[in-house]
């Protein structure tokens, strides 16, 4: 700040009538530093700028200092917009000075204008420039002046509409046109860019002759020696072509467009890549081109019919067949960007002319073999647009290459190809069949794309009624021939073919009587997969009803179980869903009891899958029940496994350790089910308790000499059961055995036989006990900071559902390889009711390791108070076993030093 | 002033390319090739027409024998001692080609060699390698520059300039890129003379994509049905192009059938390609940042014992045209099965098995008295050519717009047709001289004139609409550069004063 003060001192003297402060280069650079420094005070800035402005006329003798002063002012303008106007008005007088001065002024003006908000910039220029000035500057002999005034004009023309004009449209166009003949290529290019900008901005407002005039000039420049001029010229030809095509006028439009198109085509063989790209972009803009010329652009040989169109523009090369093979060269180009651009513009024209489309499809299909993926995608895009417009006429010779795309490496290409197939009209049955086969190959190679593939197959079948009927009949014959239970029908190809067959009956109710009935019944088990692919087209319920209606399966509408609508399972249906599932579970029990371990496991696994699918569409209330069942089935799976082990215990391969692991798992699964739900009915609670008794029995029989602890535990559970309701046969039997002091193990089988699975149908009105955990301000990209060895705080948002005030909840935090830390959650700190409690708190983590970064796993656990007491080694931890209530969250930490 | 062109070879024929151009008093020899169709004196250009010491430099465009075959003879036997220029790849590959051919000539055909192995080595030691777009100042006046020509690895077009006289010799070139080489690339040069090849002077080739599609389909169908595919090729060029095509396709379609390269020159050739990535197409250069595209993923070396292994495969075997060697051996084994496919890329000389297969499908080929080959396999013919077609030639001529064009390296009637087109469509004078003919091409002399400051100022200020008219006086003095000055300056130099003579008409009313 001291420096600032010292400089301000002499500056203030400038306000005196005495001769102003003389800026030399050093003081100019100090002024620059002051103006650019963000912490300089407003007053200082104002006085610095003022003194600079006052000294400007005196500096005009020294061109170097003057241009430096101007550039300092120009640099400061964007930072302090309020000063722009005063700077501009004071440099106004200098603009007509020496060459160097005026070029410096112009460049200062340009940078001030560009830094302003859109409207201000051009209004500043409007205030200072007028027609005479612009014309005199534009005809200056100095390159710098010409280039800067041109750039100013290009800047202004981009904002033409929103500012006052200091030039009429006509003069503006004339000035630009003049510049297109400048000897400097960069000015020629800028002038063309300016014209393009003008045409785009004033699109509808311009007179018809302006684009024509520009076009004539641009055509004259497409042969320019400079690459950038050619690029700009080609762009302008395209733009003019586009505008002339849109405007209504009396001339022979097709002839005119043909000429423009041909002119651009002649640039398709330019040696510069940029020109070629621009040429193909421009070709896409020119519409209304005659078929003859378009066809010529696809053939290197000169075609017979000449374009008869007359042009209003005099062209020296118009007679030459420039268009010949332009597109061929484009799609064969060495550079993929050119090929891509050619491909896009080819697609644009193909949509507009059927004749052209028929020919160009050959080339677009051939591009499927291009080595660049983006070209292939562009070609696919063009083909898709053509298909959508109905001008894609595929032939057999294309299909090998096209269908090859379905097994392409790139998923985008495969997706693009399928999108086209959905709309494609195939001419022959053989092609149809090979397409279906190729889609099946796609499915076998990339099963993850099943939904998309099924949808394509469905659309294909829908669009080709006759063909799909044919395929359906073949399939029916095949089914008849094969014996029942043949596993070939489980293959994905079967499902795929079925989708083709049912597509047309399903979508239009046609072909229904002709389609073999057997196919509908075969399609029923695939309902889930088919309906997922047709999401948004058909409702699953509708699909099922349709399939059952047309199949030979006898059914009543009330059998339709479970009825699933997109809105979720209604409460009325819950009853039947539960009935259905609990019945299935009962079946599973009988399998387990019958020692059919493998069958039971298979059955349970499929049950699990069904549950997953159902829960996709289930309502919130239903999800709780379904969640319960999925946890219950997990328990059953474990029991079935353990039972298998016990059966094989007599054999030599008996590992006591694996039993323990399984039992441990079962125990924890049971704990989880007991503490994850609330609102039990008496029956269910009994059943769960009996299950835990069963676990004890397993443990009991495993231990060679059962401990008293075990016995006590068992007895306490039995007494608990007695308190709730009358004892089941199973419990009675255990009680008897304990009292008789006979070995439980010996009677394990008989014990299991009396175990009954009941009470599950009463699973209702259960509420889930769960917790949600949200870590505030942390992710793997932006970890929390910590000082190694010192406690670190984690801000958590905790939401608890259905917890009672007697529950003991803990926050479990662990770092890999270390003992966990528990933090007790005092429910009194939470807001809300029993249903939902919320709290945000800063939890300390004490044992931060001395490393650069680490992650903590955080979750909320509940203490299982009714479980047997076990002294945990943590001093400040839960005394009983725990079970998780929330999903585990990762919290990332990084040391302060490493930041 | 004029450029004098002596066509020593490839005049109205294909073979032994050799043009000696005298430009601005300097004699440059473009290419020094041999004719493969002859083994007598006609194989080499008639060097007796020139004195080897007159030649300022020899420039070779690429390593094909019809462009370089006579070079060791010219340097070592005729005694040319001046500089020889060729691109880096040409310098690397030319000795291999020359030595290979010399061996075939001597060992197989038992002919007398024209130059020895030592001659080749000695000759190559004199070569100065050049890079694309590198300008070489051969001597005080003469400068040459190479431009990318496509065609084969390292092929170049040669630009030569002496003073204001400029010419371009294209050698062989390709205007459409292929899978491994780019298209010819040139700047806008205001040329006096363009000497261009005209192999396909009347052919207009269609898109290469359809040919590629047919080829891939044939190969894919064959291997999918468990067949074997034999592709007899020469080591350089086609083999790599087709291999890139197949390797890409294999990759994209997840095909696991092996592609084999027969041992020998091909593996070595691939090594050269790997090293000379900068001379390949843009695509190869782009993908080089990730991996070398000549490290083919699906290609493995082949061994003789694998010929009869079961299962599908694709094999590239040398030599092309099935003229003998390993490709013939494999052909004998594979031809009798109708599952297999023989794909013949490019042209085959009459008399070779390749030629027989291409000219109508034979069912039996008599190799010699004792060997009969049943041909039941499928035949696929590929017409891939590294030469530009007539459209390409026209495009190049149009782009360069030289004042004169000379056609070489083509067939006479076709050249005549092309000459007609160039003259009528482009309005450029064109000739196609025969061997040993000399053509004189007139050049325009342009003169450098300096302009005085006042004159330039006048030019920029005196504006008249879109046209700029400036008046000045051209001063040409002996011993001085020509100069254009303004009127005032001129008066000052000659020390004259401006006198204005004005006439005043006076008419007496009495005169009537």
């Amino acid at each position: 700040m001291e420096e600032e003060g010292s400089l301000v001192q002499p500056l203030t003297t400038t306000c005196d009538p005495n001769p102003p402060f003389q800026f030399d280069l050093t003081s100019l650079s100090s002024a620059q530093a002051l103006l650019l420094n963000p912490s300089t005070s407003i007053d200082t800035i104002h006085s610095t700028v003022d003194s600079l402005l006052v000294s400007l006329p005196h500096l005009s003798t020294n061109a170097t200092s003057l241009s430096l002063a101007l550039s300092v002012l120009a640099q400061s303008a964007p930072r302090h917009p309020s000063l722009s106007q005063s700077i501009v008005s004071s440099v106004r007088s200098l603009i007509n000075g020496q060459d160097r001065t005026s070029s410096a002024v112009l460049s200062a003006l340009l940078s001030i204008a560009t830094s302003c908000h859109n409207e201000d910039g051009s209004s500043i220029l409007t205030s200072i420039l007028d027609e005479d000035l612009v014309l005199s500057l534009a005809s200056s002999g100095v390159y710098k002046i010409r280039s800067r005034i041109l750039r100013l004009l290009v800047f202004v023309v981009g904002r033409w509409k929103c500012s006052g004009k200091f030039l009429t449209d006509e003069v503006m166009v004339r000035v630009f046109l003049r510049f297109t003949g400048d000897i400097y290529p960069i000015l020629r290019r800028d002038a063309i860019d300016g014209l393009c900008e003008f045409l785009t901005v004033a699109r509808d407002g311009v007179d018809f002759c302006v684009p024509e005039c520009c076009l004539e000039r641009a055509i004259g420049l497409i042969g320019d020696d400079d690459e950038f001029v050619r690029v700009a010229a080609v762009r302008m030809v395209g733009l003019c072509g586009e505008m002339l095509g849109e405007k209504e006028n009396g001339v022979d439009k097709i002839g005119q467009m043909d000429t423009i198109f041909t002119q651009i085509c002649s640039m398709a063989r330019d040696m510069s890549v940029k020109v070629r790209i621009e040429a193909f972009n421009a070709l896409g803009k020119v519409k209304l081109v005659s078929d003859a010329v378009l066809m010529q652009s696809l053939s290197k040989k000169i075609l017979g019919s000449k374009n008869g169109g007359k042009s209003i523009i005099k062209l020296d090369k118009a007679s030459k067949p420039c268009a010949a093979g332009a597109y061929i060269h484009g799609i064969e180009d060495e550079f993929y960007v050119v090929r891509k651009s050619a491909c896009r513009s080819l697609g644009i024209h193909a949509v507009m002319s059927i004749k052209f489309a028929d020919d160009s499809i050959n080339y677009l299909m051939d591009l499927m073999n291009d080595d660049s993926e983006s070209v292939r995608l562009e070609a696919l895009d063009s083909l898709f647009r053509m298909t959508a417009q109905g001008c894609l006429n595929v032939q057999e010779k294309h299909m090998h290459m096209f269908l090859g795309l379905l097994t392409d490496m790139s998923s985008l290409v495969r997706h693009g190809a399928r999108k086209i197939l959905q709309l494609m009209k195939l001419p022959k049955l053989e092609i149809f069949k090979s397409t279906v086969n190729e889609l099946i190959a796609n499915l076998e190679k990339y099963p993850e794309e099943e939904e998309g593939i099924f949808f394509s197959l469905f659309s294909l079948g829908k669009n080709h009624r006759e063909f799909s009927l044919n395929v359906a009949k073949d399939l029916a014959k095949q089914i008849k021939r094969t014996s029942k239970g043949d596993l070939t029908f489980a293959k994905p190809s079967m499902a795929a073919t079925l989708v083709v067959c049912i597509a047309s009956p399903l979508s239009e109710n046609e072909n229904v009587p002709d389609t073999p009935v057997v196919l509908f019944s075969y399609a029923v088990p695939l309902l889930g997969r088919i309906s997922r692919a047709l999401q948004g087209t058909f409702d699953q319920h509708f699909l099922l009803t349709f399939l059952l209606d047309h199949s030979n399966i006898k059914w009543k509408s009330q059998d339709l179980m479970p009825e699933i609508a997109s809105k979720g399972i209604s409460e009325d249906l819950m009853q039947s869903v539960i009935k259905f599932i609990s019945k299935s579970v009962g079946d599973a029990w009988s399998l387990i009891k019958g020692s059919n371990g493998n069958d039971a496991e298979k059955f349970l696994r499929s049950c699990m899958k069904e549950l997953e699918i159902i829960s996709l569409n289930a309502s919130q209330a239903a999800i709780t029940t379904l969640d319960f069942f999925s946890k219950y089935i997990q328990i059953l799976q474990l029991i079935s496994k353990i039972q298998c082990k016990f059966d094989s215990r007599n054999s030599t391969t008996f590992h006591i350790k694996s039993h323990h692991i399984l039992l441990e798992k079962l125990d924890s699964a049971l704990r989880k089910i007991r503490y994850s739900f609330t609102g039990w009915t008496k029956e269910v609670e009994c059943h769960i308790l009996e299950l835990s008794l069963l676990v004890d029995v397993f443990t009991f029989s495993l231990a060679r000499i059962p401990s008293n602890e075990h016995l006590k535990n068992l007895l306490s559970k039995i007494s608990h059961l007695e308190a709730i309701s009358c004892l089941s046969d199973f419990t009675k039997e255990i009680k008897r055995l304990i009292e008789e002091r006979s070995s439980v193990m010996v009677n394990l089988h008989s014990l299991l036989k009396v175990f009954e699975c009941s009470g599950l149908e009463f699973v209702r009105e259960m509420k889930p006990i769960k917790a949600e955990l949200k870590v505030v301000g942390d992710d793997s990209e932006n970890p929390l900071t910590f000082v190694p060895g010192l406690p670190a705080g984690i801000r958590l948002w905790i939401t608890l559902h259905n917890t009672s005030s007697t529950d003991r909840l803990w926050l479990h935090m662990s770092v890999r390889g270390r003992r966990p830390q528990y933090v007790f959650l005092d429910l009194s700190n939470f807001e809300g009711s029993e249903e939902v409690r919320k709290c945000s708190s800063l939890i300390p983590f004490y044992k931060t390791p001395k490393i650069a970064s680490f992650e903590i796993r955080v979750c909320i656990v509940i203490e299982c108070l009714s479980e047997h007491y076990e002294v945990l080694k943590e001093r400040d931890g839960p005394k009983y076993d725990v079970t998780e209530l929330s999903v585990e969250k990762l919290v990332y930490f990084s040391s302060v030093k490493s930041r | 002033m004029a450029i004098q062109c002596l066509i020593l070879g490839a005049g109205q024929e294909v073979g032994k390319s050799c043009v000696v151009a005298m430009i601005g008093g300097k004699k440059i020899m473009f290419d020094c090739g041999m004719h493969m169709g002859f083994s007598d004196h006609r194989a080499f250009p008639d060097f007796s027409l020139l004195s080897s010491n007159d030649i300022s430099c020899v420039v070779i465009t690429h390593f094909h024998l019809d462009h370089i075959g006579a070079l060791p003879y010219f340097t070592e036997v005729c005694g040319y001692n001046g500089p020889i220029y060729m691109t880096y790849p040409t310098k690397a590959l030319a000795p291999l080609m020359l030595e290979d051919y010399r061996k075939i000539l001597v060992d197989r055909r038992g002919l007398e060699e024209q130059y020895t192995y030592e001659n080749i080595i000695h000759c190559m030691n004199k070569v100065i390698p050049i890079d694309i777009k590198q300008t070489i100042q051969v001597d005080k006046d003469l400068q040459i520059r190479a431009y990318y020509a496509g065609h084969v690895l390292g092929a170049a077009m040669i630009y030569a300039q002496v003073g204001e006289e400029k010419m371009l010799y294209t050698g062989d070139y390709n205007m459409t890129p292929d899978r491994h080489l780019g298209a010819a690339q040139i700047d806008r040069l205001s040329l006096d003379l363009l000497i261009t090849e005209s192999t396909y002077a009347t052919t207009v080739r269609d898109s290469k994509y359809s040919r590629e599609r047919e080829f891939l389909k044939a190969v894919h169908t064959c291997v999918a049905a468990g067949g074997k595919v034999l592709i007899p090729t020469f080591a350089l060029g086609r083999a790599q192009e087709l291999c890139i095509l197949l390797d890409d396709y294999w990759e994209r379609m997840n095909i696991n059938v092996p592609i084999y390269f027969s041992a020998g020159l091909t593996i070595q050739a691939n090594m050269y390609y790997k090293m000379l990535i900068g001379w390949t197409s843009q695509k190869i250069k782009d993908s080089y940042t990730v991996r070398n595209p000549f490290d083919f993923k699906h290609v493995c070396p082949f061994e003789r014992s694998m010929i009869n292994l079961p299962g599908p495969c694709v094999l590239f075997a040398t030599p092309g045209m099935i003229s003998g060697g390993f490709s013939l051996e494999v052909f004998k084994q594979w031809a009798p099965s109708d599952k297999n496919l023989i794909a013949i890329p490019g042209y085959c000389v009459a008399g070779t098995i390749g030629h027989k297969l291409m000219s109508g499908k034979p069912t039996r080929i008599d190799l010699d008295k004792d060997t009969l080959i049943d041909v039941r396999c499928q035949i696929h013919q590929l017409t891939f050519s590294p030469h530009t077609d007539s459209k390409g030639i026209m495009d190049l001529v149009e782009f360069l717009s030289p004042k004169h064009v000379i056609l070489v390296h083509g067939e006479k009637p076709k050249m005549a047709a092309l000459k007609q087109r160039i003259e009528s469509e482009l309005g450029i004078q064109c000739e196609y001289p025969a061997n040993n003919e000399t053509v004189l091409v007139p050049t325009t002399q342009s003169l450098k004139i300096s302009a005085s400051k006042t004159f330039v100022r006048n030019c920029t200020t005196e504006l008249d609409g879109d046209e700029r008219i400036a008046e000045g006086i051209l001063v040409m003095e002996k011993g001085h550069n020509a100069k254009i000055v303004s009127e005032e300056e001129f008066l000052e130099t000659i020390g004259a004063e401006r006198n204005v003579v004005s006439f005043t008409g006076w008419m007496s009313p009495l005169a009537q």
Side-chain angles (χ1 to χ4, degrees), chain A residues 178 223 269 271 300 320 324 329 331-332 334-335 366 369-371 376 401 404 408-409 445-446, chain B residues 176-177 179 182-183 185 188 204-205 207-209 213 216 251-253 282 391 395 398-399 465 468:
Chain A
R178 256 199 79 91
R269 281 299 252 172
M271 285 288 169
K300 284 197 202 171
K320 236 171 22 84
H329 292 307
I331 58 173
E332 279 187 346
E334 184 180 347
F335 293 84
D366 284 343
N369 192 29
D370 198 279
D371 44 47
R376 294 208 297 277
M401 187 66 84
D408 197 282
M409 282 278 282
K445 226 171 207 174
Y446 303 98
Chain B
T176 39
R179 291 265 163 178
Q185 175 79 36
R188 272 174 192 247
V204 176
R205 227 177 283 129
S207 160
K208 63 170 182 182
Y209 280 108
R213 182 199 343 138
L216 289 175
E251 176 78 22
R252 242 185 15 248
M253 296 293 158
Q282 193 58 40
K391 173 97 178 17
D395 285 338
E398 189 194 341
F399 182 80
R468 286 178 189 203

Side-chain angles (χ1 to χ4, degrees), chain B residues 315-491:
Chain B
L315 170 67
F316 286 88
T318 48
M321 310 184 196
I322 324 186
S323 55
F326 191 61
S327 58
L328 179 63
E329 200 176 314
V330 180
F331 175 74
K332 278 191 230 165
Q333 303 284 340
W334 291 4
S337 167
D338 56 358
K339 268 182 162 179
N340 296 345
L341 171 79
I342 314 285
I344 302 167
Y347 174 76
C348 285
V349 173
T352 57
I353 293 182
H355 188 258
K356 280 183 201 160
L357 293 176
M358 279 164 74
S359 50
K361 198 186 165 192
T363 49
R364 226 166 70 160
I365 286 179
D366 305 351
L367 201 62
D368 50 47
K369 261 189 279 170
D370 310 318
T371 325
L372 290 177
I373 306 172
D374 257 341
V375 183
R376 291 209 202 94
C377 62
Q378 308 148 54
I379 312 286
H380 185 87
Q381 194 181 335
L382 276 153
T383 45
F384 284 2
S385 170
H387 289 274
T388 181
D389 63 353
S390 84
K391 173 97 178 17
I393 301 173
M394 290 296 285
D395 285 338
L396 184 80
V397 175
E398 189 194 341
F399 182 80
L400 290 170
S401 300
K403 298 194 181 74
H404 279 87
V405 176
I406 291 180
L407 303 178
V408 291
H409 202 281
E411 292 160 32
K412 192 178 174 185
K414 291 181 181 171
M415 288 163 109
L418 184 63
K419 166 200 156 87
Q420 192 63 36
R421 277 191 66 195
I422 291 177
E423 290 190 340
S424 65
E425 284 176 22
L426 304 176
I428 297 169
Q429 267 199 0
C430 180
E431 271 160 277
Y432 56 104
N435 279 349
N436 302 338
E437 275 184 13
T438 304
V439 183
L440 214 61
V441 176
T443 56
T444 44
Q445 176 93 26
S446 59
L447 199 63
K448 250 189 198 163
I449 298 174
S450 52
S452 73
K453 271 191 181 167
T454 333
F455 172 74
V456 175
R457 201 172 309 125
N458 287 352
C459 285
T460 47
T461 49
E462 287 170 25
L463 297 169
D464 179 26
D466 279 351
E467 300 290 319
R468 286 178 189 203
I469 299 167
E471 280 180 9
I473 292 160
L474 182 66
V475 183
M476 292 175 84
E477 270 181 283
K478 232 183 187 173
H480 286 85
N481 282 339
K483 197 175 181 187
I484 191 157
V485 294
S486 69
E487 203 178 332
E488 290 77 24
E489 284 174 304
F490 179 68
L491 292 174

Side-chain angles (χ1 to χ4, degrees), chain A residues 433-581:
Chain A
K433 280 185 176 166
S434 63
T435 309
V436 172
N437 287 338
E438 211 56 45
L439 276 167
I440 291 171
N442 180 187
L443 180 65
E444 280 164 355
K445 226 171 207 174
Y446 303 98
E448 69 273 20
E449 292 172 2
E450 187 183 88
E451 272 176 46
I453 296 167
F454 274 11
F455 189 67
S456 300
L457 284 165
F458 178 81
S459 317
L460 209 61
K462 193 177 81 178
N463 296 340
H464 304 86
R465 244 177 268 152
E466 295 302 313
F467 295 161
S468 63
L469 190 61
N470 197 301
V471 171
K473 283 179 180 162
D474 283 354
L475 185 65
K477 270 184 215 157
Q478 199 189 334
I479 290 172
K480 239 184 204 172
R481 271 203 305 272
T482 36
S483 55
K484 272 187 182 172
D486 192 335
L487 279 175
T488 47
F489 289 103
K491 281 185 182 168
S493 58
M494 176 69 181
T497 324
L498 276 173
V499 173
V500 180
C501 300
I502 61 161
S504 110
L506 182 62
S507 54
E508 287 158 50
N509 256 331
E510 291 193 35
N511 278 354
V512 175
D514 300 332
T515 312
V517 175
V518 63
L519 296 186
F520 294 111
S521 35
Y522 265 78
V524 176
L526 299 170
L527 178 71
R529 288 158 76 185
I530 298 175
S531 72
R532 209 177 305 168
L534 301 183
Q535 243 168 21
T537 319
F538 292 105
D539 175 60
Q540 192 178 34
H541 181 58
F542 170 80
L543 207 62
L544 181 58
T545 326
F546 176 87
L547 290 177
L548 287 175
D549 270 343
H550 293 93
S551 67
N552 42 17
I553 298 172
K554 302 272 177 297
W555 72 290
K556 284 180 234 141
S557 61
Q558 59 265 34
D559 289 350
L560 196 56
M561 253 291 305
E563 186 183 339
I564 299 153
S566 52
K567 296 158 205 151
I569 301 174
S570 67
E571 277 307 311
D572 299 340
L573 278 170
M574 266 312 286
Q575 177 69 33
S576 39
V577 172
I578 290 161
K579 215 168 156 189
F580 181 74
I581 294 171

